[in-house]
Amino acid sequence: MSDVIESLASKYGLYLCVECGKCVAICPMGEIYTHVSYEISPRGIIERILLDPEIPEDDCLWFCLTCDLCTNLCPAGVRFRDFVEVARQVAIKNGITEYSSFCDGCGTYLYPEHILGYLKQELGETAEELLTLCPRCRRYDFGEKLKAQIPGKRKVGSLEVETGDSR
Ligand code: SF4
Ligand code: SF4
């Protein structure tokens, strides 16, 4: 996998990093997570990838909120957020799935578990319903619930549509 990661590191400018630390200073992860270490900071991950161009098998890639603030501030043009998003897809394709949550309906990747945990903590029970399905499955689920609640047929434009139980 090192060829893929080296190529991503080059594409997203990780080799350009001048270790100024501005990305660490602006990164909001410190406000979201209770324990933040250098290992999960953008600078820490860049350093690690450049020393060992492999997808980390631990969870360091799965904390980033992909807000892109670090990219906007970086004086060297490093696109860390873009790197993380693609590196996560590479990790999932290589079987590293334990740090991600997937849609209960179709299995599409949704969010890192760390972000989901934070959202659940902030939103409480509402999060269960909102964050377990992808937008497409949520729309389908909503339609099914609607059909179950409104029995019989109804007009949608020029069509007559079955909306559930026709008793
Ligand atoms: S802001 Fe850019 S150059 Fe500075 S440490 Fe972060 S990635 Fe490297
Ligand atoms: S994109 Fe990720 S690493 Fe960069 S500032 Fe946002 S949360 Fe931090």
Side-chain angles (χ1 to χ4, degrees), residues 17-23 43 46 74-76 78:
C17 176
V18 293
E19 301 185 22
C20 67
K22 287 186 174 179
C23 53
R43 189 177 164 198
I46 290 168
C74 178
V78 177

Side-chain angles (χ1 to χ4, degrees), residues 17-29 38 41-46 67-75 78 80-81:
C17 176
V18 293
E19 301 185 22
C20 67
K22 287 186 174 179
C23 53
V24 181
I26 193 76
C27 180
M29 284 194 280
Y38 180 70
S41 73
R43 189 177 164 198
I45 292 172
I46 290 168
C67 66
D68 219 17
L69 285 173
C70 53
T71 305
N72 292 330
L73 202 67
C74 178
V78 177
F80 181 76
R81 189 276 306 267

Side-chain angles (χ1 to χ4, degrees), residues 13 24 31 34-35 40 42 45 73 83 92-93 102 119 121 125 127 144 148 163:
V24 181
E31 292 167 28
T34 46
H35 300 293
I40 70 166
I45 292 172
L73 202 67
F83 170 78
I92 290 169
K93 277 190 188 143
F102 298 89
L119 292 172
Q121 178 191 309
E125 287 177 12
E144 289 299 300
T163 57

Side-chain angles (χ1 to χ4, degrees), residues 54-163:
E54 289 290 340
I55 285 287
E57 295 202 1
D58 60 22
D59 62 352
C60 72
L61 279 182
W62 302 89
F63 289 90
C64 170
L65 310 165
T66 63
C67 66
D68 219 17
L69 285 173
C70 53
T71 305
N72 292 330
L73 202 67
C74 178
V78 177
R79 290 158 58 203
F80 181 76
R81 189 276 306 267
D82 294 346
F83 170 78
V84 162
E85 285 187 327
V86 179
R88 285 175 177 169
Q89 294 302 325
V90 173
I92 290 169
K93 277 190 188 143
N94 282 275
I96 303 173
T97 55
E98 60 268 46
Y99 310 119
S100 310
S101 69
F102 298 89
C103 173
D104 284 349
C106 65
T108 302
Y109 165 72
L110 286 178
Y111 326 92
E113 279 289 344
H114 292 301
I115 295 178
L116 190 62
Y118 170 74
L119 292 172
K120 281 181 178 171
Q121 178 191 309
E122 291 298 303
L123 297 172
E125 287 177 12
T126 320
E128 279 303 325
E129 195 167 340
L130 289 176
L131 304 174
T132 55
L133 295 173
C134 69
R136 191 158 170 256
C137 288
R138 197 176 316 126
R139 278 199 300 276
Y140 177 78
D141 186 56
F142 179 73
E144 289 299 300
K145 283 179 181 159
L146 205 60
K147 280 199 287 185
Q149 283 175 15
I150 309 171
K153 294 180 178 178
R154 69 188 169 95
K155 293 279 273 183
V156 178
S158 59
L159 298 173
E160 196 167 41
V161 176
E162 289 284 351
T163 57

